[in-house]
Amino acid sequence: MSAVATEPVVRVEDLCLHLTTGEPVVDGVTFSVAPGEIVGLVGESGSGKTTTALSLLGYTRPGVVIKGGTVEVGGESILGRDRRALRSLRGKTVSYVPQDPGGALNPSLRVGDAILDVLRAHRAGGGDDPVRSALERVELGSDPRFAGRYPHQLSGGQQQRVTIAMACVCDPPVAVLDEPTTGLDVLTQDRILAELRRLRDEDGMAMVYVTHDLAVVSQMADRIVVMYAGRIVENGPAAEVIERPRHPYTRALVEAIPDFKNPRALRGIAGVSVGVGEWPGGCAFAPRCPHQEARCHETVPVLEEAVPGHHVRCMRWMELDLQAGERGNGRAAGAAVEPAPLLEVSGLEARYRSSRSASPAVDAVSFTVEQGRCVALVGESGSGKTTIGRCLAGLHVPSAGTISFDGVPIAGAARKRPLEVRRRIQIVFQNPYQSLNPRQRVRSSIIRPLRVLRRLSRADAEKEVGDLLERVKLPTRLGNRFPVELSGGERQRVAIARALAARPDLLICDEVTSALDVSVQAAVLELLQELQRELRLSMLFITHNLGVVACIADTVLVMDRGTLCETGTVAEVLASPSHDYTRRLLAAAPCLPDGVL
Amino acid sequence: MSDRFRFLRTTSGAIGAGIVLFVVLVAIFGPYLAPHDPAAPVGIPLSGSSSHAWLGTDFLGRDVLSRVLYGGRSVIGYAAAATVLAYMVGMAIGLTAGYARSLVDPVLMRSVDVMLAFPPLLFLLVLIAGAGTSVAVLIIGVAAIQAPAISRIVRTATLEVSTRGYVEAGIARGERAFAVIGREVLPNIMAPLLVDAGLRFTYSILIIASVNFLGLGLQPPNSDWALMISENRTYIQLNPWSVLVPAAMIGLLTIGINLTGDAIARSLGRSYVPRATRSVVS
């Protein structure tokens, strides 16, 4: 990119944002975006990345105030403008693509009217049929009736493409994208990313891409800005940052990405991300850093230029050689002897009473899970994989087929299964924010299965809680907290502890990491692998992330529209997929460029 | 649980709770403070305030102050009884419909819809005309008016909560429906229900007051705020206190409960306030 001669379209200098109560949220952020450049803004939840990105639109969330610095977009200063001036800039000079398109589109406006609204607000012309041409740019123009549809009639991917069409209808030089693909499945994500790349290439639109997923950003961005606790810790060309990270935090983020091409033991980052108001003195990452020294805790390191165009905020960047991570497959090999089947499912069929379609949600699915093995169930959203998990857990009664556990056929509804079967099959749910009873302390959530399924006395149950919390690497004192006081990763560990309390033989994990940041996901997967090894657990791991599959599973089942379309060992399926759908999934899965790590 | 009383720290919460406390205290301890027998004439009918009778006398010469001090128990007591009864029935229907989600749900809910189609006051009047005027009929009638709407609110809240992981975990453990509802569902739908219960209570007071005013509830010579308004309304120019003071007590209680309910709703971080208080006294 010959960005040297051209003026940048976005220039952020020494941006500082505080809470109204005084705690800093973003501190001294400086970066610029050249025309037609995609800059990835990366960090964990609470790192200030979204707050920084929103300030490009002159917007701060309630309770946040801009303390100082300059933000220039398209040559115009943003900060200190009044509401009217900002309104005329938003959409025309800088536009925004939200994280959740379903919530961002007005449900009572047709797609075409929503796009026209943007044009009218800026009194822009845009040819004789501006809506049509806007929709054509995001490849939604083939159906002339599309502009007349309402948001609820569209799929998630289509909704997101409509918000992108709205964002670029006035041809702004810059767009801010806030995790635009987070809620979407792999195939849709791949289409959206291709769309965005095309918009950049054809129209030269610069983008600020906010995400916690380095794998996505490594495919998209020209430059990557890594933020931690409100400060930039690394800023450089994308390939440089991914392949030769200079900051220990970036390195840890790269290591946390599950990659199906290079399956390896994932390593989570120790400790939890610091929140607003709890920044330590000195380097904010020091308490979690494996390379910390005494001086790291004393002063905040400055952002230094390591090589031209690549900045890093670390005292020890010169001495540390962060590329030399140990390579190779850290996964434990499956047991040598052929293990006995624990769960056998044959001809499983499940329907939903409310669904109008004649075809069942799950149709004639048969598979086995052997003792001590991990089987991954992969598929797009709506493919029926979660329904299978619910059938096994006794939450959904199948309409046909048998489920045999340890050689004995079991009933469909949990109530009709013997206690021993209920104890031996446990499930962990997808959304950690809804899987723990908010009115109960962590301790009593874990005691319940001990009392109900293992018939322990209250005193014995109390004694085991501490052990279980330790098992999932949580401090024992967490038992007295309420779920609201815990982070997403901590909640998911508690949910795992609740399942382990029953001493299960089969653990069903339903998308357990999809609501978590990449680094937290790595830590949870690391824990599950360890538990599987030590407790000889069998697992059914439901996911849409092939990178996760490669890291944790022995065999894989691929589902497409309610039926199994491919089964085999992970190595076979990922190396030479036979089904067309599996091939598309693999091609769409975001992964790091070859040769990293 | 200081968290539960956080609403008291807001202005409207503190004022509302103060008003409710005042009216309830008057109703409970009023009879002990009353200077006269509420049923006995103490002076010339409809005389103004004097040192003998501070708020004057009513159309039969009875002391208005004493009658106000005696007259709160019946209104508040019957309204509370009716609300509790309505909640028992409404929660049973709503929890069953929302939790079972089988054929039980549509059957129960369509029956509830039929009940909701009757105009509430008309329903109560027909009931009283058929079964006669007694306290039991009044309470059952008011509860029957309230229960269908309560069951709808409970069902919606239950539906939302029962797809959560902690409820499903309980079902997967094979626990009895009672245990799952009591432990996992109920505590998590209590917040909106508490707010709703306050407003239902107000509504019960208003219905009971309207029926008493129409002369179909409590009969003279009982002292009751609503009955007092009804008895003395023709003579409002002669002794305004005999109408205004009992009316103000009912009004204060209504305002106090509404303020408190709003404050609780806000402190729970929800804008959810059911619109249940329709005026039936016009």
Side-chain angles (χ1 to χ4, degrees):
Chain A
M1 181 139 294
S2 59
V4 192
T6 50
E7 254 325 87
V9 283
V10 173
R11 187 168 28 217
V12 178
E13 246 161 71
D14 202 27
L15 179 69
C16 295
L17 294 116
H18 287 207
L19 290 184
T20 39
T21 47
E23 287 95 352
V25 180
V26 167
D27 184 31
V29 164
T30 301
F31 68 94
S32 60
V33 184
E37 191 182 31
I38 299 181
V39 169
L41 206 52
V42 183
E44 287 174 282
S45 326
S47 60
K49 56 187 193 302
T50 300
T51 312
T52 304
L54 287 175
S55 68
L56 298 184
L57 296 132
Y59 180 79
T60 53
R61 282 184 275 203
V64 179
V65 285
I66 295 166
K67 235 357 192 219
T70 53
V71 175
E72 276 179 36
V73 178
E76 301 205 51
S77 175
I78 295 284
L79 301 187
R81 292 295 194 92
D82 61 11
R83 281 158 183 270
R84 270 179 76 97
L86 283 175
R87 259 208 304 278
S88 70
L89 286 173
R90 291 176 188 157
K92 186 136 183 89
T93 310
V94 53
S95 61
Y96 179 70
V97 176
Q99 174 170 1
D100 167 24
L105 288 170
N106 184 339
S108 61
L109 271 189
R110 293 171 195 273
V111 167
D113 293 332
I115 295 172
L116 272 180
D117 259 6
V118 182
L119 283 169
R120 278 197 214 108
H122 296 288
R123 292 184 193 83
D128 41 329
D129 194 351
V131 172
R132 182 72 185 268
S133 57
L135 287 175
E136 265 164 13
R137 282 167 82 176
V138 290
E139 291 178 349
L140 290 172
S142 55
D143 183 354
R145 285 166 304 174
F146 192 86
R149 300 222 176 114
Y150 287 99
H152 72 264
Q153 295 169 310
L154 313 180
S155 70
Q158 285 173 326
Q159 287 177 341
Q160 193 58 285
R161 277 191 270 178
V162 170
T163 61
I164 293 170
M166 286 166 71
C168 56
V169 67
C170 288
D171 289 309
V174 191
V176 174
L177 304 110
D178 189 3
E179 309 235 11
T181 62
T182 298
L184 307 173
D185 63 74
V186 187
L187 291 179
T188 317
Q189 163 170 294
D190 193 48
R191 277 198 291 273
I192 299 274
L193 294 183
E195 211 72 63
L196 290 173
R197 271 193 296 265
R198 209 174 43 76
L199 278 173
R200 191 272 300 267
D201 294 340
E202 289 176 8
D203 306 332
M205 188 156 69
M207 295 176 193
V208 175
Y209 193 104
V210 179
T211 182
H212 67 91
D213 192 344
L214 264 178
V216 167
V217 102
S218 72
Q219 298 183 333
M220 288 289 294
D222 303 304
R223 237 147 33 75
I224 293 179
V225 174
V226 182
M227 287 187 72
Y228 185 78
R231 296 194 189 101
I232 292 178
V233 295
E234 187 157 1
N235 175 0
E240 275 275 306
V241 171
I242 298 278
E243 283 163 34
R244 276 181 292 281
R246 307 272 176 170
H247 196 282
Y249 177 62
T250 317
R251 162 80 195 177
L253 278 184
V254 172
E255 272 185 356
I257 302 171
D259 189 348
F260 71 87
K261 284 186 192 156
N262 291 306
R264 63 201 144 78
L266 293 177
R267 227 166 313 140
I269 308 176
V272 280
S273 181
V274 291
V276 173
E278 21 181 88
W279 295 0
C283 174
F285 186 61
R288 300 170 75 187
C289 183
H291 310 287
Q292 57 174 297
E293 285 182 346
R295 61 188 170 128
C296 295
H297 296 277
E298 282 155 18
T299 47
V300 178
V302 289
L303 198 61
E304 290 176 286
E305 191 157 41
V307 289
H310 190 161
H311 299 259
V312 59
R313 190 191 290 275
C314 178
M315 307 229 181
R316 307 188 58 202
W317 67 268
M318 257 191 282
E319 354 167 354
L320 295 176
D321 182 13
L322 293 172
Q323 308 152 47
E326 66 269 46
R327 241 194 103 113
N329 194 335
R331 282 179 29 74
V337 286
E338 190 57 37
L342 179 69
L343 178 87
E344 284 169 283
V345 175
S346 68
L348 190 74
E349 184 193 285
R351 292 172 182 276
Y352 282 100
R353 196 158 39 90
S354 54
S355 106
R356 278 183 208 140
S357 69
S359 59
V362 173
D363 193 9
V365 167
S366 307
F367 63 93
T368 54
V369 178
E370 281 91 12
Q371 221 128 35
R373 290 295 183 87
C374 176
V375 175
L377 192 56
V378 187
E380 264 182 295
S381 39
S383 60
K385 55 190 194 305
T386 293
T387 308
I388 292 183
R390 291 174 57 83
C391 288
L392 297 181
L395 291 168
H396 189 97
V397 181
S399 48
T402 53
I403 303 169
S404 302
F405 188 72
D406 225 356
V408 185
I410 53 174
R415 279 289 285 154
K416 295 184 181 144
R417 294 180 181 174
L419 180 73
E420 202 47 21
V421 171
R422 277 184 267 145
R423 179 185 72 73
R424 293 175 67 188
I425 302 178
Q426 287 293 313
I427 184 165
V428 181
F429 296 98
Q430 173 172 13
N431 188 341
Y433 295 93
Q434 293 193 349
S435 63
L436 299 177
N437 189 336
R439 316 285 299 191
Q440 277 173 8
R441 290 177 201 278
V442 165
R443 166 179 300 278
S444 48
S445 282
I446 298 177
I447 284 178
R448 195 65 185 166
L450 293 171
R451 302 265 296 147
V452 174
L453 297 173
R454 285 181 41 210
R455 304 247 180 258
L456 293 185
S457 70
R458 179 155 288 279
D460 288 344
E462 289 276 355
K463 264 182 252 156
E464 266 212 52
V465 172
D467 296 344
L468 284 162
L469 284 172
E470 255 165 51
R471 260 249 99 95
V472 295
K473 302 204 168 76
L474 289 174
T476 319
R477 62 186 155 77
L478 231 66
N480 291 323
R481 303 259 187 91
F482 283 99
V484 260
E485 301 168 74
L486 308 183
S487 71
E490 286 171 331
R491 287 178 202 218
Q492 203 57 290
R493 282 165 196 264
V494 173
I496 293 170
R498 179 176 65 187
L500 289 180
R503 296 217 178 125
D505 293 318
L506 175 68
L507 192 64
I508 302 162
C509 297
D510 184 6
E511 303 249 21
V512 286
T513 59
S514 65
L516 306 174
D517 273 5
V518 172
S519 58
V520 183
Q521 161 175 294
V524 170
L525 291 176
E526 192 185 359
L527 170 72
L528 283 173
Q529 259 178 329
E530 199 183 300
L531 292 172
Q532 195 207 351
R533 226 176 14 246
E534 287 173 12
L535 305 174
R536 302 241 330 122
L537 273 177
S538 307
M539 281 208 282
L540 181 71
F541 201 92
I542 301 168
T543 181
H544 62 258
N545 188 332
L546 287 170
V548 170
V549 171
C551 289
I552 198 162
D554 301 301
T555 52
V556 58
L557 315 167
V558 185
M559 285 204 74
D560 184 22
R561 274 163 280 161
T563 56
L564 279 186
C565 65
E566 183 160 1
T567 56
T569 66
V570 168
E572 281 166 20
V573 172
L574 296 187
S576 54
S578 62
H579 199 275
D580 179 49
Y581 174 71
T582 319
R583 254 177 254 142
R584 282 195 293 136
L585 265 186
L586 275 173
C591 56
L592 296 173
D594 287 327
V596 174
L597 296 173
Chain B
M1 297 296 271
S2 65
D3 217 37
R4 216 167 259 180
F5 296 104
R6 198 173 38 186
F7 70 93
L8 284 176
R9 260 174 260 147
T10 62
T11 319
S12 68
I15 294 177
I19 294 175
V20 173
L21 193 69
F22 167 72
V23 177
V24 170
L25 286 180
V26 166
I28 294 173
F29 296 108
Y32 305 114
L33 303 172
H36 300 287
D37 180 352
V42 294
I44 307 157
L46 299 167
S47 59
S49 59
S50 64
S51 60
H52 181 60
W54 289 354
L55 295 178
T57 57
D58 71 353
F59 76 113
L60 290 177
R62 297 171 296 195
D63 180 30
V64 170
L65 177 64
S66 301
R67 287 182 67 75
V68 166
L69 290 174
Y70 269 93
R73 282 189 178 180
S74 54
V75 176
I76 296 175
Y78 298 162
T83 311
V84 168
L85 184 63
Y87 251 88
M88 275 158 51
V89 177
M91 287 195 41
I93 298 175
L95 284 170
T96 314
Y99 185 78
R101 270 185 287 171
S102 54
L103 226 103
V104 181
D105 180 23
V107 168
L108 278 176
M109 280 304 117
R110 292 303 79 76
S111 329
V112 162
D113 287 347
V114 171
M115 283 294 293
L116 279 170
F118 290 107
L121 205 52
L122 197 66
F123 172 82
L124 193 57
L125 295 183
V126 170
L127 187 76
I128 290 170
T133 52
S134 74
V135 171
V137 170
L138 190 64
I139 289 175
I140 291 171
V142 172
I145 291 172
Q146 305 263 43
I150 294 171
S151 70
R152 295 225 78 139
I153 290 180
V154 174
R155 171 181 172 268
T156 312
T158 308
L159 272 182
E160 195 195 320
V161 168
S162 55
T163 54
R164 303 262 164 95
Y166 50 88
V167 179
E168 301 212 308
I171 299 172
R173 284 194 294 266
E175 294 187 35
R176 282 177 303 126
F178 265 114
V180 178
I181 288 176
R183 228 183 108 81
E184 320 284 353
V185 177
L186 257 186
N188 290 297
I189 63 173
M190 276 327 271
L193 294 191
L194 276 176
V195 178
D196 179 64
L199 293 171
R200 297 274 162 213
F201 179 57
T202 325
Y203 188 35
S204 298
I205 291 175
L206 292 179
I207 303 176
I208 292 178
S210 339
V211 175
N212 287 352
F213 173 83
L214 293 172
L216 296 169
L218 274 179
Q219 298 301 315
N222 276 311
S223 57
D224 173 276
W225 292 340
L227 206 57
M228 287 173 72
I229 303 171
S230 160
E231 289 169 342
N232 294 304
R233 67 182 193 282
T234 10
Y235 318 106
I236 190 166
Q237 288 121 316
L238 297 169
N239 182 8
W241 299 125
S242 60
V243 176
L244 292 185
V245 174
M249 294 304 279
I250 294 177
L252 273 180
L253 184 58
T254 314
I255 291 168
I257 289 174
N258 275 298
L259 283 175
T260 316
D262 280 359
I264 293 178
R266 255 197 303 276
S267 83
L268 293 170
R270 300 186 190 193
S271 53
Y272 170 72
V273 179
R275 293 259 57 94
T277 36
R278 286 167 289 170
S279 175
V280 284
V281 185
S282 47

